[in-house]
Amino acid sequence: MDEELDPAVERMLDRIRASRGRVTHVRKVLVQALVSAEGHETADSLVGIVQASVPSANRSTIYRNLDELEQMGLVVHAHLGHGPASYHLAPAAHTHLVCRSCRTEIEMPREWFAELAERAWSRYHFRVEPFHFAVLGRCESCASSPVKSDQLSSDPSRAVRIQGTSEAP
Amino acid sequence: MDEELDPAVERMLDRIRASRGRVTHVRKVLVQALVSAEGHETADSLVGIVQASVPSANRSTIYRNLDELEQMGLVVHAHLGHGPASYHLAPAAHTHLVCRSCRTEIEMPREWFAELAERAWSRYHFRVEPFHFAVLGRCESCASSPVKSDQLSSDPSRAVRIQGTSEAP
DNA sequence: GTTCTTGCAAAAGCTTTGCAGGAAG
DNA sequence: CTTCCTGCAAAGCTTTTGCAAGAAC
């Protein structure tokens, strides 16, 4: 995994260079990992992925790089529960509905926040950016069953992901 | 602060007794603290408040009690940023708009979530419970200024609180 | 007396920081 | 050669846990 030349990766590396950042080995692999990540990786899973290519890579380096990528606007992190944060590419930013019991994640169309955002703007001149936190609740199957305690603190890898379709009736 | 007999406190103590819980000294003081809390206390600030009356009270006891009160549905916690969680009485549950730069908190009318909740229900049969996480964004003054890094991880006591009025045009 | 709570101490989980050596440009 | 990045080690902060002594009923 070195000369893959994924165009999305190249674009991000260019943005790094444009910010006077250096294109290091770790950074290349991390960016590649973010680009090819299907879902929402935690810092920890990214450490694992990067270390598969660069065994010496250190957790703190990953955290520092994620911070920088986020400050450059390339990456965004979100809190989907009580556990670690999830990182994904900024262009893929979307809001999540997360079930408090079974931790199913549903990607919600961003338009659904439009009305709320409009009101927040007209009443408070507050610009809503609804990507950082999930919207919690209960999914169909868990809503009917008796209230169990929240599962949000446990292993993120157990989460089920549901892809949201775009707007519809 | 012992025989204040605040009726709201009495009601909560009754609910504790109803759940076969014991009304201990620490619990009484904690419940009183939650009832008379103006804003959104963190576990840490609650420890401080309780220790003012019961100096020997331990952090872990406060955490355990907050957990129990939450499981009984009397208390709710919310994540308003990267720092510690905020606790408040369940009846006062409301959604927060939190500015990413200056951490101003705005209490948002719960009705504003109605449309989104309705859509989540009809599309996914997902029951939205929008109290757990804040809705992030930028307040008027910070929206205009150049993007500074997020302040959400710093001292919660610096937060400014704005009381939301109920629904309006 | 029995069961539930507490204090204490320790640890867990996620993330951040200081520093000196090493790589990128 | 200068500046930025990295690994290492340590600590930070919030929260959780095990256990034996103590309080509530």
Side-chain angles (χ1 to χ4, degrees), chain A residues 77 82 100 112 115 119 123 127 129 132 134 136-138 165 167, chain B residues 77 82 100 112 115 119 123 127 129 132-133 136-138 165 167:
Chain A
H77 81 272
H82 288 168
R100 282 180 20 199
W112 289 8
E115 188 203 334
R119 293 182 186 207
R123 169 92 65 91
R127 249 186 244 291
E129 301 169 11
H132 191 79
L136 290 199
R138 294 195 168 261
T165 60
E167 189 60 19
Chain B
H77 82 271
H82 287 169
R100 283 179 21 201
W112 288 9
E115 188 203 337
R119 293 182 186 207
R123 170 89 66 90
R127 250 186 244 290
E129 300 169 10
H132 191 78
F133 283 134
L136 291 199
R138 294 195 168 261
T165 59
E167 188 60 17

PDB file of all heavy atoms in Angstrom, chain A residues 77 82 100 112 115 119 123 127 129 132 134 136-138 165 167, chain B residues 77 82 100 112 115 119 123 127 129 132-133 136-138 165 167:
ATOM      1  N   HIS A  77     -14.893  14.834  13.203  1.00  0.00           N
ATOM      2  CA  HIS A  77     -15.177  13.748  14.140  1.00  0.00           C
ATOM      3  C   HIS A  77     -16.539  13.966  14.782  1.00  0.00           C
ATOM      4  O   HIS A  77     -17.022  15.086  14.886  1.00  0.00           O
ATOM      5  CB  HIS A  77     -14.080  13.595  15.193  1.00  0.00           C
ATOM      6  CG  HIS A  77     -14.175  14.548  16.331  1.00  0.00           C
ATOM      7  ND1 HIS A  77     -13.607  15.799  16.337  1.00  0.00           N
ATOM      8  CD2 HIS A  77     -14.778  14.427  17.546  1.00  0.00           C
ATOM      9  CE1 HIS A  77     -13.837  16.403  17.484  1.00  0.00           C
ATOM     10  NE2 HIS A  77     -14.543  15.605  18.237  1.00  0.00           N
ATOM     11  N   HIS A  82     -21.198   6.954  24.058  1.00  0.00           N
ATOM     12  CA  HIS A  82     -20.306   7.295  25.163  1.00  0.00           C
ATOM     13  C   HIS A  82     -18.870   6.877  24.921  1.00  0.00           C
ATOM     14  O   HIS A  82     -17.984   7.250  25.668  1.00  0.00           O
ATOM     15  CB  HIS A  82     -20.792   6.663  26.468  1.00  0.00           C
ATOM     16  CG  HIS A  82     -22.018   7.324  26.981  1.00  0.00           C
ATOM     17  ND1 HIS A  82     -22.782   6.812  27.979  1.00  0.00           N
ATOM     18  CD2 HIS A  82     -22.613   8.478  26.621  1.00  0.00           C
ATOM     19  CE1 HIS A  82     -23.798   7.608  28.203  1.00  0.00           C
ATOM     20  NE2 HIS A  82     -23.725   8.625  27.385  1.00  0.00           N
ATOM     21  N   ARG A 100     -30.360   4.106  21.212  1.00  0.00           N
ATOM     22  CA  ARG A 100     -29.776   4.029  22.552  1.00  0.00           C
ATOM     23  C   ARG A 100     -29.626   2.607  23.038  1.00  0.00           C
ATOM     24  O   ARG A 100     -28.812   2.330  23.928  1.00  0.00           O
ATOM     25  CB  ARG A 100     -30.638   4.799  23.554  1.00  0.00           C
ATOM     26  CG  ARG A 100     -30.462   6.278  23.489  1.00  0.00           C
ATOM     27  CD  ARG A 100     -31.329   6.976  24.502  1.00  0.00           C
ATOM     28  NE  ARG A 100     -31.764   6.099  25.573  1.00  0.00           N
ATOM     29  CZ  ARG A 100     -32.788   6.334  26.364  1.00  0.00           C
ATOM     30  NH1 ARG A 100     -33.496   7.414  26.203  1.00  0.00           N
ATOM     31  NH2 ARG A 100     -33.109   5.505  27.314  1.00  0.00           N
ATOM     32  N   TRP A 112     -33.183  17.158   6.635  1.00  0.00           N
ATOM     33  CA  TRP A 112     -34.125  17.083   7.737  1.00  0.00           C
ATOM     34  C   TRP A 112     -33.815  18.091   8.836  1.00  0.00           C
ATOM     35  O   TRP A 112     -34.634  18.361   9.695  1.00  0.00           O
ATOM     36  CB  TRP A 112     -34.144  15.670   8.340  1.00  0.00           C
ATOM     37  CG  TRP A 112     -34.785  14.678   7.463  1.00  0.00           C
ATOM     38  CD1 TRP A 112     -35.195  14.863   6.176  1.00  0.00           C
ATOM     39  CD2 TRP A 112     -35.106  13.340   7.798  1.00  0.00           C
ATOM     40  NE1 TRP A 112     -35.729  13.716   5.685  1.00  0.00           N
ATOM     41  CE2 TRP A 112     -35.696  12.744   6.663  1.00  0.00           C
ATOM     42  CE3 TRP A 112     -34.942  12.563   8.937  1.00  0.00           C
ATOM     43  CZ2 TRP A 112     -36.124  11.441   6.644  1.00  0.00           C
ATOM     44  CZ3 TRP A 112     -35.367  11.257   8.910  1.00  0.00           C
ATOM     45  CH2 TRP A 112     -35.964  10.688   7.771  1.00  0.00           C
ATOM     46  N   GLU A 115     -35.279  22.793   8.643  1.00  0.00           N
ATOM     47  CA  GLU A 115     -36.267  23.639   9.304  1.00  0.00           C
ATOM     48  C   GLU A 115     -35.755  24.103  10.662  1.00  0.00           C
ATOM     49  O   GLU A 115     -35.828  25.279  11.005  1.00  0.00           O
ATOM     50  CB  GLU A 115     -37.581  22.860   9.477  1.00  0.00           C
ATOM     51  CG  GLU A 115     -38.710  23.734   9.992  1.00  0.00           C
ATOM     52  CD  GLU A 115     -39.788  22.908  10.682  1.00  0.00           C
ATOM     53  OE1 GLU A 115     -39.923  21.712  10.355  1.00  0.00           O
ATOM     54  OE2 GLU A 115     -40.481  23.460  11.556  1.00  0.00           O
ATOM     55  N   ARG A 119     -35.012  27.963  11.885  1.00  0.00           N
ATOM     56  CA  ARG A 119     -35.562  28.598  13.093  1.00  0.00           C
ATOM     57  C   ARG A 119     -34.461  29.090  14.009  1.00  0.00           C
ATOM     58  O   ARG A 119     -34.544  30.175  14.576  1.00  0.00           O
ATOM     59  CB  ARG A 119     -36.433  27.614  13.869  1.00  0.00           C
ATOM     60  CG  ARG A 119     -37.681  27.236  13.121  1.00  0.00           C
ATOM     61  CD  ARG A 119     -38.488  26.306  13.987  1.00  0.00           C
ATOM     62  NE  ARG A 119     -39.646  25.800  13.267  1.00  0.00           N
ATOM     63  CZ  ARG A 119     -40.766  25.412  13.877  1.00  0.00           C
ATOM     64  NH1 ARG A 119     -40.848  25.484  15.188  1.00  0.00           N
ATOM     65  NH2 ARG A 119     -41.773  24.953  13.184  1.00  0.00           N
ATOM     66  N   ARG A 123     -34.340  32.969  14.973  1.00  0.00           N
ATOM     67  CA  ARG A 123     -34.565  33.380  16.361  1.00  0.00           C
ATOM     68  C   ARG A 123     -33.274  33.789  17.070  1.00  0.00           C
ATOM     69  O   ARG A 123     -33.238  34.765  17.813  1.00  0.00           O
ATOM     70  CB  ARG A 123     -35.234  32.245  17.146  1.00  0.00           C
ATOM     71  CG  ARG A 123     -35.287  32.444  18.644  1.00  0.00           C
ATOM     72  CD  ARG A 123     -36.540  33.099  19.136  1.00  0.00           C
ATOM     73  NE  ARG A 123     -37.684  32.256  18.900  1.00  0.00           N
ATOM     74  CZ  ARG A 123     -38.147  31.360  19.780  1.00  0.00           C
ATOM     75  NH1 ARG A 123     -37.563  31.219  20.940  1.00  0.00           N
ATOM     76  NH2 ARG A 123     -39.191  30.624  19.501  1.00  0.00           N
ATOM     77  N   ARG A 127     -26.003  29.442  13.802  1.00  0.00           N
ATOM     78  CA  ARG A 127     -25.781  28.605  12.618  1.00  0.00           C
ATOM     79  C   ARG A 127     -25.595  27.149  13.029  1.00  0.00           C
ATOM     80  O   ARG A 127     -24.550  26.793  13.572  1.00  0.00           O
ATOM     81  CB  ARG A 127     -24.488  29.053  11.921  1.00  0.00           C
ATOM     82  CG  ARG A 127     -24.688  29.719  10.606  1.00  0.00           C
ATOM     83  CD  ARG A 127     -23.358  29.981   9.951  1.00  0.00           C
ATOM     84  NE  ARG A 127     -23.106  31.416   9.787  1.00  0.00           N
ATOM     85  CZ  ARG A 127     -23.785  32.177   8.943  1.00  0.00           C
ATOM     86  NH1 ARG A 127     -24.744  31.681   8.212  1.00  0.00           N
ATOM     87  NH2 ARG A 127     -23.488  33.469   8.839  1.00  0.00           N
ATOM     88  N   GLU A 129     -24.706  23.358  12.957  1.00  0.00           N
ATOM     89  CA  GLU A 129     -23.815  22.423  12.255  1.00  0.00           C
ATOM     90  C   GLU A 129     -24.040  21.049  12.875  1.00  0.00           C
ATOM     91  O   GLU A 129     -23.378  20.676  13.835  1.00  0.00           O
ATOM     92  CB  GLU A 129     -22.357  22.866  12.427  1.00  0.00           C
ATOM     93  CG  GLU A 129     -22.107  24.266  11.880  1.00  0.00           C
ATOM     94  CD  GLU A 129     -20.746  24.826  12.278  1.00  0.00           C
ATOM     95  OE1 GLU A 129     -19.915  24.065  12.798  1.00  0.00           O
ATOM     96  OE2 GLU A 129     -20.540  26.043  12.084  1.00  0.00           O
ATOM     97  N   HIS A 132     -21.726  17.049  14.471  1.00  0.00           N
ATOM     98  CA  HIS A 132     -20.831  16.641  15.540  1.00  0.00           C
ATOM     99  C   HIS A 132     -21.424  15.579  16.459  1.00  0.00           C
ATOM    100  O   HIS A 132     -20.736  14.653  16.866  1.00  0.00           O
ATOM    101  CB  HIS A 132     -20.430  17.855  16.360  1.00  0.00           C
ATOM    102  CG  HIS A 132     -19.317  17.575  17.312  1.00  0.00           C
ATOM    103  ND1 HIS A 132     -18.014  17.518  16.905  1.00  0.00           N
ATOM    104  CD2 HIS A 132     -19.311  17.294  18.615  1.00  0.00           C
ATOM    105  CE1 HIS A 132     -17.246  17.241  17.932  1.00  0.00           C
ATOM    106  NE2 HIS A 132     -18.021  17.095  18.992  1.00  0.00           N
ATOM    107  N   ALA A 134     -24.595  12.823  17.415  1.00  0.00           N
ATOM    108  CA  ALA A 134     -25.696  12.036  16.901  1.00  0.00           C
ATOM    109  C   ALA A 134     -27.003  12.537  17.504  1.00  0.00           C
ATOM    110  O   ALA A 134     -27.008  13.239  18.510  1.00  0.00           O
ATOM    111  CB  ALA A 134     -25.495  10.573  17.263  1.00  0.00           C
ATOM    112  N   LEU A 136     -30.010  10.973  19.328  1.00  0.00           N
ATOM    113  CA  LEU A 136     -30.317   9.689  19.954  1.00  0.00           C
ATOM    114  C   LEU A 136     -31.801   9.392  19.958  1.00  0.00           C
ATOM    115  O   LEU A 136     -32.624  10.283  19.832  1.00  0.00           O
ATOM    116  CB  LEU A 136     -29.819   9.666  21.402  1.00  0.00           C
ATOM    117  CG  LEU A 136     -28.323   9.638  21.611  1.00  0.00           C
ATOM    118  CD1 LEU A 136     -28.028   9.157  23.008  1.00  0.00           C
ATOM    119  CD2 LEU A 136     -27.648   8.729  20.603  1.00  0.00           C
ATOM    120  N   GLY A 137     -32.109   8.138  20.126  1.00  0.00           N
ATOM    121  CA  GLY A 137     -33.497   7.726  20.212  1.00  0.00           C
ATOM    122  C   GLY A 137     -33.577   6.225  20.263  1.00  0.00           C
ATOM    123  O   GLY A 137     -32.664   5.574  20.764  1.00  0.00           O
ATOM    124  N   ARG A 138     -34.676   5.689  19.761  1.00  0.00           N
ATOM    125  CA  ARG A 138     -34.841   4.244  19.775  1.00  0.00           C
ATOM    126  C   ARG A 138     -35.334   3.777  18.418  1.00  0.00           C
ATOM    127  O   ARG A 138     -36.255   4.340  17.850  1.00  0.00           O
ATOM    128  CB  ARG A 138     -35.856   3.810  20.841  1.00  0.00           C
ATOM    129  CG  ARG A 138     -35.355   4.099  22.222  1.00  0.00           C
ATOM    130  CD  ARG A 138     -36.131   3.388  23.299  1.00  0.00           C
ATOM    131  NE  ARG A 138     -35.358   3.528  24.535  1.00  0.00           N
ATOM    132  CZ  ARG A 138     -34.562   2.582  25.000  1.00  0.00           C
ATOM    133  NH1 ARG A 138     -34.442   1.444  24.375  1.00  0.00           N
ATOM    134  NH2 ARG A 138     -33.891   2.800  26.104  1.00  0.00           N
ATOM    135  N   THR A 165     -31.022   6.910   2.399  1.00  0.00           N
ATOM    136  CA  THR A 165     -31.276   7.313   1.011  1.00  0.00           C
ATOM    137  C   THR A 165     -31.477   8.808   1.028  1.00  0.00           C
ATOM    138  O   THR A 165     -31.591   9.412   2.092  1.00  0.00           O
ATOM    139  CB  THR A 165     -32.553   6.644   0.494  1.00  0.00           C
ATOM    140  OG1 THR A 165     -33.639   7.051   1.328  1.00  0.00           O
ATOM    141  CG2 THR A 165     -32.422   5.135   0.559  1.00  0.00           C
ATOM    142  N   GLU A 167     -33.540  12.475   0.089  1.00  0.00           N
ATOM    143  CA  GLU A 167     -34.880  12.937   0.463  1.00  0.00           C
ATOM    144  C   GLU A 167     -36.004  12.172  -0.250  1.00  0.00           C
ATOM    145  O   GLU A 167     -35.849  11.714  -1.366  1.00  0.00           O
ATOM    146  CB  GLU A 167     -35.000  14.437   0.174  1.00  0.00           C
ATOM    147  CG  GLU A 167     -36.267  15.072   0.722  1.00  0.00           C
ATOM    148  CD  GLU A 167     -36.351  14.934   2.235  1.00  0.00           C
ATOM    149  OE1 GLU A 167     -35.310  14.680   2.869  1.00  0.00           O
ATOM    150  OE2 GLU A 167     -37.451  15.083   2.763  1.00  0.00           O
TER     151      GLU A 167
ATOM    152  N   HIS B  77     -28.633  12.964  31.691  1.00  0.00           N
ATOM    153  CA  HIS B  77     -27.370  13.639  31.423  1.00  0.00           C
ATOM    154  C   HIS B  77     -27.220  13.910  29.940  1.00  0.00           C
ATOM    155  O   HIS B  77     -27.791  13.211  29.116  1.00  0.00           O
ATOM    156  CB  HIS B  77     -26.177  12.854  31.979  1.00  0.00           C
ATOM    157  CG  HIS B  77     -25.703  11.738  31.108  1.00  0.00           C
ATOM    158  ND1 HIS B  77     -26.209  10.464  31.200  1.00  0.00           N
ATOM    159  CD2 HIS B  77     -24.767  11.701  30.126  1.00  0.00           C
ATOM    160  CE1 HIS B  77     -25.610   9.688  30.321  1.00  0.00           C
ATOM    161  NE2 HIS B  77     -24.730  10.401  29.647  1.00  0.00           N
ATOM    162  N   HIS B  82     -16.894  18.574  24.573  1.00  0.00           N
ATOM    163  CA  HIS B  82     -15.966  17.476  24.744  1.00  0.00           C
ATOM    164  C   HIS B  82     -15.667  17.171  26.202  1.00  0.00           C
ATOM    165  O   HIS B  82     -15.045  16.180  26.507  1.00  0.00           O
ATOM    166  CB  HIS B  82     -14.651  17.776  24.020  1.00  0.00           C
ATOM    167  CG  HIS B  82     -14.795  17.680  22.550  1.00  0.00           C
ATOM    168  ND1 HIS B  82     -13.840  18.112  21.685  1.00  0.00           N
ATOM    169  CD2 HIS B  82     -15.789  17.182  21.787  1.00  0.00           C
ATOM    170  CE1 HIS B  82     -14.264  17.900  20.455  1.00  0.00           C
ATOM    171  NE2 HIS B  82     -15.440  17.348  20.491  1.00  0.00           N
ATOM    172  N   ARG B 100     -19.723  26.375  19.047  1.00  0.00           N
ATOM    173  CA  ARG B 100     -18.451  25.680  19.036  1.00  0.00           C
ATOM    174  C   ARG B 100     -17.295  26.573  19.450  1.00  0.00           C
ATOM    175  O   ARG B 100     -16.245  26.082  19.877  1.00  0.00           O
ATOM    176  CB  ARG B 100     -18.149  25.136  17.636  1.00  0.00           C
ATOM    177  CG  ARG B 100     -18.928  23.898  17.308  1.00  0.00           C
ATOM    178  CD  ARG B 100     -18.605  23.413  15.913  1.00  0.00           C
ATOM    179  NE  ARG B 100     -17.346  23.901  15.427  1.00  0.00           N
ATOM    180  CZ  ARG B 100     -16.999  23.974  14.150  1.00  0.00           C
ATOM    181  NH1 ARG B 100     -17.852  23.597  13.237  1.00  0.00           N
ATOM    182  NH2 ARG B 100     -15.829  24.418  13.787  1.00  0.00           N
ATOM    183  N   TRP B 112     -39.045  22.399  18.096  1.00  0.00           N
ATOM    184  CA  TRP B 112     -38.260  22.543  16.867  1.00  0.00           C
ATOM    185  C   TRP B 112     -37.768  21.210  16.333  1.00  0.00           C
ATOM    186  O   TRP B 112     -37.366  21.110  15.183  1.00  0.00           O
ATOM    187  CB  TRP B 112     -37.068  23.465  17.100  1.00  0.00           C
ATOM    188  CG  TRP B 112     -37.463  24.888  17.255  1.00  0.00           C
ATOM    189  CD1 TRP B 112     -38.723  25.395  17.370  1.00  0.00           C
ATOM    190  CD2 TRP B 112     -36.595  26.012  17.314  1.00  0.00           C
ATOM    191  NE1 TRP B 112     -38.690  26.749  17.511  1.00  0.00           N
ATOM    192  CE2 TRP B 112     -37.390  27.153  17.489  1.00  0.00           C
ATOM    193  CE3 TRP B 112     -35.206  26.167  17.264  1.00  0.00           C
ATOM    194  CZ2 TRP B 112     -36.841  28.433  17.574  1.00  0.00           C
ATOM    195  CZ3 TRP B 112     -34.676  27.430  17.356  1.00  0.00           C
ATOM    196  CH2 TRP B 112     -35.487  28.555  17.510  1.00  0.00           C
ATOM    197  N   GLU B 115     -40.575  18.257  13.536  1.00  0.00           N
ATOM    198  CA  GLU B 115     -40.633  17.851  12.139  1.00  0.00           C
ATOM    199  C   GLU B 115     -39.609  16.759  11.858  1.00  0.00           C
ATOM    200  O   GLU B 115     -39.911  15.740  11.238  1.00  0.00           O
ATOM    201  CB  GLU B 115     -40.362  19.059  11.234  1.00  0.00           C
ATOM    202  CG  GLU B 115     -40.591  18.739   9.765  1.00  0.00           C
ATOM    203  CD  GLU B 115     -39.823  19.686   8.855  1.00  0.00           C
ATOM    204  OE1 GLU B 115     -39.495  20.809   9.299  1.00  0.00           O
ATOM    205  OE2 GLU B 115     -39.531  19.285   7.720  1.00  0.00           O
ATOM    206  N   ARG B 119     -40.319  12.870  10.643  1.00  0.00           N
ATOM    207  CA  ARG B 119     -39.732  12.219   9.466  1.00  0.00           C
ATOM    208  C   ARG B 119     -38.964  10.968   9.852  1.00  0.00           C
ATOM    209  O   ARG B 119     -39.051   9.939   9.175  1.00  0.00           O
ATOM    210  CB  ARG B 119     -38.774  13.174   8.766  1.00  0.00           C
ATOM    211  CG  ARG B 119     -39.471  14.359   8.140  1.00  0.00           C
ATOM    212  CD  ARG B 119     -38.445  15.204   7.435  1.00  0.00           C
ATOM    213  NE  ARG B 119     -39.039  16.426   6.926  1.00  0.00           N
ATOM    214  CZ  ARG B 119     -38.561  17.072   5.866  1.00  0.00           C
ATOM    215  NH1 ARG B 119     -37.510  16.610   5.230  1.00  0.00           N
ATOM    216  NH2 ARG B 119     -39.151  18.176   5.469  1.00  0.00           N
ATOM    217  N   ARG B 123     -40.044   7.478   8.208  1.00  0.00           N
ATOM    218  CA  ARG B 123     -39.115   6.793   7.315  1.00  0.00           C
ATOM    219  C   ARG B 123     -38.470   5.572   7.967  1.00  0.00           C
ATOM    220  O   ARG B 123     -38.316   4.519   7.357  1.00  0.00           O
ATOM    221  CB  ARG B 123     -38.021   7.766   6.859  1.00  0.00           C
ATOM    222  CG  ARG B 123     -36.866   7.102   6.118  1.00  0.00           C
ATOM    223  CD  ARG B 123     -37.068   7.000   4.614  1.00  0.00           C
ATOM    224  NE  ARG B 123     -37.089   8.319   4.032  1.00  0.00           N
ATOM    225  CZ  ARG B 123     -36.001   8.951   3.591  1.00  0.00           C
ATOM    226  NH1 ARG B 123     -34.843   8.373   3.653  1.00  0.00           N
ATOM    227  NH2 ARG B 123     -36.098  10.166   3.089  1.00  0.00           N
ATOM    228  N   ARG B 127     -37.594   6.575  16.976  1.00  0.00           N
ATOM    229  CA  ARG B 127     -38.138   7.539  17.936  1.00  0.00           C
ATOM    230  C   ARG B 127     -37.041   8.469  18.425  1.00  0.00           C
ATOM    231  O   ARG B 127     -36.207   8.060  19.221  1.00  0.00           O
ATOM    232  CB  ARG B 127     -38.687   6.797  19.143  1.00  0.00           C
ATOM    233  CG  ARG B 127     -40.174   6.809  19.266  1.00  0.00           C
ATOM    234  CD  ARG B 127     -40.578   6.178  20.578  1.00  0.00           C
ATOM    235  NE  ARG B 127     -41.357   4.961  20.369  1.00  0.00           N
ATOM    236  CZ  ARG B 127     -42.594   4.943  19.897  1.00  0.00           C
ATOM    237  NH1 ARG B 127     -43.181   6.079  19.559  1.00  0.00           N
ATOM    238  NH2 ARG B 127     -43.239   3.805  19.746  1.00  0.00           N
ATOM    239  N   GLU B 129     -35.052  11.084  20.522  1.00  0.00           N
ATOM    240  CA  GLU B 129     -35.009  11.632  21.888  1.00  0.00           C
ATOM    241  C   GLU B 129     -33.859  12.631  21.934  1.00  0.00           C
ATOM    242  O   GLU B 129     -32.738  12.267  22.237  1.00  0.00           O
ATOM    243  CB  GLU B 129     -34.785  10.499  22.898  1.00  0.00           C
ATOM    244  CG  GLU B 129     -35.880   9.449  22.845  1.00  0.00           C
ATOM    245  CD  GLU B 129     -35.526   8.194  23.640  1.00  0.00           C
ATOM    246  OE1 GLU B 129     -34.534   8.214  24.384  1.00  0.00           O
ATOM    247  OE2 GLU B 129     -36.263   7.193  23.500  1.00  0.00           O
ATOM    248  N   HIS B 132     -30.065  14.122  24.616  1.00  0.00           N
ATOM    249  CA  HIS B 132     -28.779  13.633  25.082  1.00  0.00           C
ATOM    250  C   HIS B 132     -27.600  14.441  24.566  1.00  0.00           C
ATOM    251  O   HIS B 132     -26.643  14.701  25.291  1.00  0.00           O
ATOM    252  CB  HIS B 132     -28.611  12.177  24.676  1.00  0.00           C
ATOM    253  CG  HIS B 132     -27.452  11.509  25.328  1.00  0.00           C
ATOM    254  ND1 HIS B 132     -27.514  11.067  26.618  1.00  0.00           N
ATOM    255  CD2 HIS B 132     -26.218  11.252  24.893  1.00  0.00           C
ATOM    256  CE1 HIS B 132     -26.353  10.546  26.948  1.00  0.00           C
ATOM    257  NE2 HIS B 132     -25.544  10.638  25.913  1.00  0.00           N
ATOM    258  N   PHE B 133     -27.666  14.800  23.327  1.00  0.00           N
ATOM    259  CA  PHE B 133     -26.561  15.553  22.750  1.00  0.00           C
ATOM    260  C   PHE B 133     -27.009  16.956  22.375  1.00  0.00           C
ATOM    261  O   PHE B 133     -28.155  17.170  21.992  1.00  0.00           O
ATOM    262  CB  PHE B 133     -26.058  14.876  21.473  1.00  0.00           C
ATOM    263  CG  PHE B 133     -25.210  13.674  21.734  1.00  0.00           C
ATOM    264  CD1 PHE B 133     -25.417  12.504  21.029  1.00  0.00           C
ATOM    265  CD2 PHE B 133     -24.191  13.715  22.669  1.00  0.00           C
ATOM    266  CE1 PHE B 133     -24.622  11.391  21.243  1.00  0.00           C
ATOM    267  CE2 PHE B 133     -23.392  12.605  22.897  1.00  0.00           C
ATOM    268  CZ  PHE B 133     -23.609  11.452  22.190  1.00  0.00           C
ATOM    269  N   LEU B 136     -24.650  21.355  17.738  1.00  0.00           N
ATOM    270  CA  LEU B 136     -23.546  22.316  17.673  1.00  0.00           C
ATOM    271  C   LEU B 136     -23.705  23.271  16.521  1.00  0.00           C
ATOM    272  O   LEU B 136     -24.420  23.014  15.569  1.00  0.00           O
ATOM    273  CB  LEU B 136     -22.219  21.587  17.520  1.00  0.00           C
ATOM    274  CG  LEU B 136     -21.736  20.783  18.707  1.00  0.00           C
ATOM    275  CD1 LEU B 136     -20.249  20.524  18.582  1.00  0.00           C
ATOM    276  CD2 LEU B 136     -22.004  21.523  20.001  1.00  0.00           C
ATOM    277  N   GLY B 137     -22.983  24.373  16.629  1.00  0.00           N
ATOM    278  CA  GLY B 137     -22.988  25.361  15.562  1.00  0.00           C
ATOM    279  C   GLY B 137     -22.220  26.587  15.983  1.00  0.00           C
ATOM    280  O   GLY B 137     -21.292  26.483  16.798  1.00  0.00           O
ATOM    281  N   ARG B 138     -22.610  27.723  15.437  1.00  0.00           N
ATOM    282  CA  ARG B 138     -21.917  28.952  15.784  1.00  0.00           C
ATOM    283  C   ARG B 138     -22.922  30.036  16.086  1.00  0.00           C
ATOM    284  O   ARG B 138     -23.879  30.235  15.344  1.00  0.00           O
ATOM    285  CB  ARG B 138     -21.015  29.420  14.636  1.00  0.00           C
ATOM    286  CG  ARG B 138     -19.888  28.458  14.416  1.00  0.00           C
ATOM    287  CD  ARG B 138     -18.780  29.017  13.574  1.00  0.00           C
ATOM    288  NE  ARG B 138     -17.667  28.098  13.690  1.00  0.00           N
ATOM    289  CZ  ARG B 138     -16.632  28.286  14.512  1.00  0.00           C
ATOM    290  NH1 ARG B 138     -16.561  29.377  15.257  1.00  0.00           N
ATOM    291  NH2 ARG B 138     -15.683  27.400  14.571  1.00  0.00           N
ATOM    292  N   THR B 165     -37.097  31.046  25.211  1.00  0.00           N
ATOM    293  CA  THR B 165     -38.512  31.313  25.439  1.00  0.00           C
ATOM    294  C   THR B 165     -39.274  30.202  24.754  1.00  0.00           C
ATOM    295  O   THR B 165     -38.712  29.422  24.010  1.00  0.00           O
ATOM    296  CB  THR B 165     -38.911  32.654  24.802  1.00  0.00           C
ATOM    297  OG1 THR B 165     -38.629  32.576  23.399  1.00  0.00           O
ATOM    298  CG2 THR B 165     -38.110  33.780  25.401  1.00  0.00           C
ATOM    299  N   GLU B 167     -42.346  28.593  22.198  1.00  0.00           N
ATOM    300  CA  GLU B 167     -42.537  28.765  20.737  1.00  0.00           C
ATOM    301  C   GLU B 167     -43.007  30.179  20.361  1.00  0.00           C
ATOM    302  O   GLU B 167     -43.652  30.875  21.116  1.00  0.00           O
ATOM    303  CB  GLU B 167     -43.541  27.729  20.234  1.00  0.00           C
ATOM    304  CG  GLU B 167     -43.676  27.681  18.722  1.00  0.00           C
ATOM    305  CD  GLU B 167     -42.363  27.337  18.044  1.00  0.00           C
ATOM    306  OE1 GLU B 167     -41.446  26.830  18.735  1.00  0.00           O
ATOM    307  OE2 GLU B 167     -42.234  27.572  16.852  1.00  0.00           O
TER     308      GLU B 167
END
